């Protein structure tokens, strides 16, 4: 890359929200050759698709990584770093997952391998696996890639937000052995309430289901509390929970996750299903997560508040400039699920926005399995974890392009 001129102010210099000021997010600096998000499309495209944030990593994490490089890079604690296990256990206790011992946690190179392992261990080829749709696409890929069938339950789009279709959920669960739960839900941003979780637990018990609960976005919520699905002792023996730091602390390039279950035998069964195919967490990813849990809280709190501002700005902008776009304000994540089906170009809306607005978004059908993709044509997922300035420019571009064709 050629020299882009004076370097922008370093957003790692402070934990204050001012560190996330638009002046610190220079597209020329963000578009470095190691960034998937910023290099897939042409330089004039604003990338708001893949789920990582444009913000710099928390200073305590960067400091810990630099210090770790001074200690050599031999094998880390491959049996499960005991310091990190204790930290993760304490962190998950805040979500209702208390009483976790060392035997109840196993680290992974990421959350997605855990989804695949759960499907492989707890179902057989040809069997249906239940999940709500639309959903983060590795859910249905983990099912179909392993010759299982997706028993998809479309969420109901109500005036107050997306809701679980309980009759369809009950019907889909008959004959199934596994539910893949996304909580908070990606891409809709729903955080399932205590009442919804209770009803879902009752169904799981009635239908004798195992549950894989992906709770990766739990720390990117805009409410005060989060309740893990397995917080209820009734379902702990049949649930594996997956989480990790990569979304909350913007460290997707340092793959690590954890699989948790109060049922140590179930945990071992799922982990063994992948065997040596899964790999292990890296030395630097262990250091990163330790630092995040130890010292990253202030940075995370500031980041969530900035994201809340972006979320609310997005909602106000749509109401004012694109009132025909259907949108429910997300309760968690930095992802907005937008319904643009009223637009004449709904059938190719992602391509239209890329070519006419020079904004890259995720296309709705990505979040559905084969045969169900058409019902999500016209939806997009938009990542608003960027500066207010870049978010505004992207929305202005989209508005101009969309209105030209209305």
């Amino acid at each position: 890359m050629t020299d882009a001129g004076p370097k922008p102010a370093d957003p790692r210099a402070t934990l204050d929200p001012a560190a996330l000021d638009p002046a610190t997010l220079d597209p020329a600096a963000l578009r470095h050759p190691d960034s998937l998000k910023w290099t897939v499309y042409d330089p004039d495209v604003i990338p708001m698709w893949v789920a990582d944030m444009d913000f710099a990593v928390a200073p305590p994490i960067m400091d810990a990584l630099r210090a770790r490089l001074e200690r050599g890079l031999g094998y880390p604690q491959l049996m499960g770093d005991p310091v990190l296990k204790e930290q993760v256990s304490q962190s998950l206790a805040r979500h209702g997952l208390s009483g976790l011992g060392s035997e109840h946690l196993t680290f992974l190179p990421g959350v997605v391998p855990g989804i695949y392992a759960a499907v492989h261990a707890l179902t057989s080829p040809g069997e249906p696996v239940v999940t709500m749709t639309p959903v983060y696409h590795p859910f249905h890929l983990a099912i179909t890639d392993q010759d299982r069938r997706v028993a998809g339950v479309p969420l109901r789009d109500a005036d107050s937000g997306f809701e679980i279709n309980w009759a369809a959920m009950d019907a889909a669960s008959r004959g199934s052995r596994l539910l893949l739960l996304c909580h908070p839900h990606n891409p809709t941003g729903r955080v399932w309430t205590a009442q919804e979780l209770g009803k879902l637990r009752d169904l799981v018990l009635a239908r004798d289901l195992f549950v894989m609960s992906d709770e990766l976005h739990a720390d990117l919520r805009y409410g005060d509390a989060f309740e893990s699905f397995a917080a209820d002792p009734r379902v702990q023996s049949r649930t594996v929970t997956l989480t990790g730091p990569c979304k909350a602390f913007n460290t997707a390039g340092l793959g690590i996750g954890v699989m948790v279950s109060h049922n140590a035998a179930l945990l071992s069964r799922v982990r063994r299903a992948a065997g040596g195919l899964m790999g292990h967490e890296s030395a630097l990813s262990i250091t990163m997560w330790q630092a995040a849990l130890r010292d990253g809280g202030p940075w995370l709190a500031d980041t969530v508040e900035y994201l809340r501002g972006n979320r609310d700005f997005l909602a106000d902008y749509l109401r004012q400039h694109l009132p025909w776009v259907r949108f429910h304000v997300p309760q968690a994540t930095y992802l907005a699920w937008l319904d643009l089906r009223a637009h004449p170009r709904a059938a190719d809306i992602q391509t239209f926005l890329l070519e006419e607005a020079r904004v890259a978004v995720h296309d709705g059908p990505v979040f559905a399995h084969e045969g169900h993709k058409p019902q999500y044509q016209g939806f997009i997922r938009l990542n608003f974890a960027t500066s207010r300035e870049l978010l505004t420019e992207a929305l202005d571009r989209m508005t101009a392009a969309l209105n030209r064709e209305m």
Side-chain angles (χ1 to χ4, degrees), residues 20 43 67 77 106 121 136 149 190 209 238 300 314 345 352:
L20 305 175
Q77 300 287 347
T106 183
Y136 177 50
R149 295 185 291 112
R190 271 301 316 274
L209 298 175
R238 61 180 66 238
L300 178 59
L314 171 62
R345 294 291 298 272
F352 172 77

Side-chain angles (χ1 to χ4, degrees), residues 120-167:
H120 185 68
L122 303 176
T123 65
S124 298
E127 289 186 350
V129 179
V130 182
T131 193
M132 304 172 199
T133 59
V135 72
Y136 177 50
H137 50 286
F139 275 52
H140 53 77
L141 292 176
I143 299 169
T144 58
D145 284 352
Q146 301 183 89
D147 298 321
R148 278 72 167 167
R149 295 185 291 112
V150 179
V153 180
L155 294 171
R156 181 180 289 124
D157 188 355
D159 290 340
S160 59
F162 289 95
E163 299 176 347
I164 299 171
N165 185 329
W166 293 106

